[in-house]
Amino acid sequence: MDERSGRLDAVFSALADPTRREMLSRLTDGSMTVGELAEPFEMSRPAISQHLKVLERAGLIERTATAQWRTCTLRAEGLDDASAWVDEHRRGWNERFDLLDERLRELKQRRPKKEKDNE
């Protein structure tokens, strides 16, 4: 497995969990302390910490410590590889859908008149 593939796995794995996606959404408004970020979630501090570790390992957040405050900041560049992967594959998917649409139109035009009248 190459480095890019490993980063993609980490990002998509992190994004697979709805709690982590919500945490990232909340961080789009700016940095938050761990306590502020954890506030709406009904789970233990260790569970919150585990979610934050996954996000940090994926390169999606940065955690800093200043005195007793632990702050989380969104690292949007962590999504760059995932966004590039999706864009790269979207072209192929769109081409396949276009070919499918074309084929379905051809098949519909070839159907006998009796079948068309029953629709």
Side-chain angles (χ1 to χ4, degrees):
M1 177 185 324
D2 65 5
E3 184 180 337
R4 181 175 184 235
S5 182
R7 286 193 312 265
L8 282 173
D9 289 350
V11 169
F12 285 125
S13 178
L15 294 174
D17 184 272
T19 298
R20 292 192 287 266
R21 289 192 306 269
E22 178 61 25
M23 288 176 166
L24 290 175
S25 293
R26 296 191 70 230
L27 288 172
T28 61
D29 294 332
S31 298
M32 295 182 163
T33 65
V34 171
E36 291 170 331
L37 192 56
E39 195 173 298
F41 303 105
E42 294 184 18
M43 61 179 67
S44 68
R45 291 293 177 156
I48 293 291
S49 181
Q50 187 60 39
H51 282 297
L52 295 176
K53 285 178 187 175
V54 170
L55 291 170
E56 188 174 31
R57 279 194 300 265
L60 298 173
I61 66 167
E62 181 177 4
R63 294 195 292 177
T64 56
T66 306
Q68 73 271 20
W69 305 107
R70 306 282 184 253
T71 304
C72 297
T73 305
L74 181 66
R75 293 190 62 222
E77 65 273 8
L79 291 171
D80 289 348
D81 282 338
S83 180
W85 185 90
V86 168
D87 288 343
E88 182 180 308
H89 287 80
R90 180 181 290 135
R91 284 186 291 276
W93 298 328
N94 285 337
E95 287 173 12
R96 288 184 186 106
F97 284 132
D98 289 345
L99 288 172
L100 178 61
D101 281 344
E102 185 179 318
R103 181 70 176 132
L104 290 173
R105 276 193 297 275
E106 288 172 6
L107 290 172
K108 192 172 184 177
Q109 290 173 355
R110 289 183 189 175
R111 287 194 326 201
K113 183 177 179 357
K114 190 174 184 178
E115 284 183 34
K116 289 181 186 177
D117 291 341
N118 290 334
E119 288 183 354

